[in-house]
Amino acid sequence: MTSETAASVVELTQDGDVLLVTINNPPVNALGAAVRQGLVATMEQADASATVKAVLIVGQGKAFIAGADIREFGKPPVAPFLPDVCNRIEACTKPVVAVIHGAALGGGLEIAMAAHYRLALPAAKLGLPEVSLGLIPGAGGTQRAPRLMGVKAATELMLSGSPLSAKAAQAAGLVDKLEEGNDPVAAGLAYARELLAQGAPLRRTSTDQICLADKAAAQAELDVLRADTAKKSRGLFSPLKIIDCVQAAVDLPFEQGLKFERAQFLACIDSPQRQGLIHAFFAEKETAKIPEAKAAAPRHFAKIAIIGGGTMGAGITVSALDAGLAVTMIERDAESIARGQANVEKVYNGLIAKGRMTEEAKAAVMARYTPSTSYDDIADVDLVIEAVFEDLEVKKAVFKELDRACKSGAVLATNTSYLDIDAIAAVTSRPQDVIGLHFFSPANIMKLLEIVVPSKVAADVVTTAFDLAKKMKKVPVRAGVCDGFIGNRILATYKQAADYLMEDGASPYEIDEAVRGFGFAMGPFQVTDLAGGDIGWATRKRRAATRDPKARYVEIADRICENGWFGQKTQRGFYLYPQGARVGQQDPEVLAIVDAERAKKGVTARKFTAEEIMRRYMAAMVNEGAKVVGEGIALRPLDVDVTFISGYGFPRHRGGPMKWADMQGLDKVLADIEAFAKEDALFWKPAPLLQKLVAEGKSFESLNK
């Protein structure tokens, strides 16, 4: 890295006795090697200059410094390393002021904390989000933040990964002063001169012990946070490392604390969890890269219609309203539309009750909502999302009405979980305008949006759907048409594997426990109870006619549904939910049904360890995932990973099922499938793509390029 490169991204100008240091590394002033080199050289220059009395660090454009340079991820590190840069800034013999506007995240905030004074503008966002990548702040952040903010505020900032506003940062002690306006240079120069006029001292964070002076109080706060984190972090590596580092800040001199932090940081770098989290981070950015984007720009849309005001329709409506769109909701009669509007308002009333929204803000949002019972009221909308009952004939009837009522060029979308979108498009005179938008419930909260691409759809309709996802802040994944698309198709397969395990000897409770132990929030039988057992039962009945008579079929769930036990909504399913409890209790009557079904089939129950359960569960998931990629239903393995992380509770730190398989070794996963195939060759049929990759010594990752 040449000094010219460093000079080009770290620009110096002297304004009287203040050296103005401008980080100019678009788009977000990331801390690449040239920026780090430039900052160290600047401190040397400031120390050596008789005319420089203070140093001001600002960011060019919209950010201060938004963190590490992701282009350097996975490459050999280049000196100077960030901890050394921060220490050199703090060691400067002239007062250093950081002026924070826009994002100061990760290493960017660590730079600011190493400065002697911090000024923030109203739009500043200050955060240490490293935990979301399986890391900890590694350039003194875990040592300086507690000294500036105290143990509780600093630890919560690092554990949440969420940024603070300028006002909150000042209240927490992270920022010394707030300045109105949006000119960081003018505000910074005025502040630097004010400090010089006062003869303000060099305030080095490393020697500031005020916030840690009461050791007993600091320790008490940390003990509570440690217990809470151990409970919540469910096997995650980096959160407890953050706690350990803050403990070092409480117990050790600064230099020793830095050494301890560095060792923990390097341990995180080597953790497989970091691999999984980094993969998830990049994969979510890649899913928007689709072939249609090269061919067509999105259509304009401002007004949209939602057909159906049930839970799903209301959730989609809230997502659209939150995206700033005008929404007309259609229901079949006055009573249904009143219920639909109430479902929408319930979400906003909940926010008001929590103090996260005002009545005025709700009124402003609801002004863009129009309830109606007539399709004629949506003649001018740009995009329609149908969210009615999951029945092909019902949906076809809706689309005939949409075809009649909607203007030419309107995008017509169906929110279906399984159904054939080509068949729905075929009832219209404009199949090129019909697409699938599979939202996940609750639609205003869940991030995943499966964008399902039928055979006749126009490219600009696909790009419009991705544009809608972006406006709604959803994570979009492109899927092809098949029964269940990406997510529900794979779900059906690993749920079958869970059913086989249950019939073969593992109780539903042991299976759920093993799946939770792997890192899922819930096991498959808990999910069934939450969603409603009757939904899966209806699907099984729909598919009964086309089911391969040679395929193994487990009837336990059907027996449970025949009793009217549909899960939480009926207070019992696989679990008991007395008095509407949210957490289920084990049910001896369900175990009796399981035993009776085993006896009927002549199955002798055998024991399964948690590891054996997960090997089958994951092998089924990965094998079906490989079939989905091999058939082109998913564009790349990473699309399967993002679907499962964003929509199905797959533990993010494992990177998704395909990344997990790569980390195990595809040869091992295939060997498991081939071993299980000796018991049931029809179900455990290896995916041709998996066999091909193993034969060629390649990984799923090789297909993400």
Side-chain angles (χ1 to χ4, degrees), residues 1 3 35 76 86 188 320 406 474 478 516 537 663:
M1 201 72 70
S3 58
V35 175
C86 290
C406 292
K474 299 294 183 196
R478 185 192 185 283
R516 287 196 306 272
W537 193 29
M663 287 161 76

Side-chain angles (χ1 to χ4, degrees), residues 31 64-67 82 86 98 100 103-115 118 125-130 139 141 144-145 148-149 157-158 163-164 169 174-175:
L31 280 163
F64 175 66
I65 300 170
L82 191 56
C86 290
I100 302 164
L105 302 175
L109 183 52
E110 288 180 296
I111 292 277
M113 289 194 290
R118 282 156 295 285
K125 288 266 174 270
L126 300 87
L128 294 167
E130 288 85 351
R144 288 189 175 95
L148 288 169
M149 307 167 71
L157 179 71
M158 293 185 273
L164 295 175
L174 192 52
V175 164

Side-chain angles (χ1 to χ4, degrees), residues 252-405:
L252 302 175
F254 186 77
E255 291 296 324
Q256 286 179 32
L258 277 188
K259 279 187 188 149
F260 182 82
E261 176 193 83
R262 195 70 193 158
Q264 306 315 304
F265 179 78
L266 293 172
C268 289
I269 289 275
D270 290 338
S271 161
Q273 293 192 0
R274 174 181 168 268
Q275 273 187 62
L277 288 162
I278 295 260
H279 172 76
F281 175 78
F282 283 112
E284 281 175 357
K285 295 187 180 323
E286 290 293 311
T287 59
K289 294 177 184 171
I290 51 164
E292 289 84 0
K294 295 187 186 80
R299 295 179 188 179
H300 168 77
F301 59 92
K303 289 183 181 175
I304 79 167
I306 310 290
I307 313 301
T311 304
M312 185 56 86
I316 299 169
T317 299
V318 170
S319 284
L321 290 169
D322 289 350
L325 299 164
V327 182
T328 302
M329 179 190 275
I330 302 287
E331 260 291 3
R332 58 181 178 265
D333 53 40
E335 189 185 336
S336 303
I337 194 65
R339 204 161 42 236
Q341 180 165 344
N343 286 339
V344 172
E345 294 202 32
K346 184 179 172 188
V347 175
Y348 293 120
N349 292 340
L351 294 175
I352 291 167
K354 288 176 187 155
R356 284 163 47 195
M357 191 179 213
T358 63
E359 288 284 359
E360 294 74 30
K362 177 194 164 186
V365 170
M366 291 303 290
R368 287 185 276 109
Y369 168 86
T370 307
S372 171
T373 55
S374 170
Y375 280 88
D376 295 336
D377 287 343
I378 60 169
D380 64 338
V381 299
D382 308 304
L383 187 149
V384 185
I385 303 168
E386 162 275 309
V388 302
F389 188 65
E390 186 76 347
D391 178 284
L392 190 58
E393 295 312 312
V394 173
K395 288 185 188 284
K396 281 181 180 177
V398 169
F399 271 77
K400 282 177 185 165
E401 275 295 287
L402 295 178
D403 194 28
R404 175 192 67 75

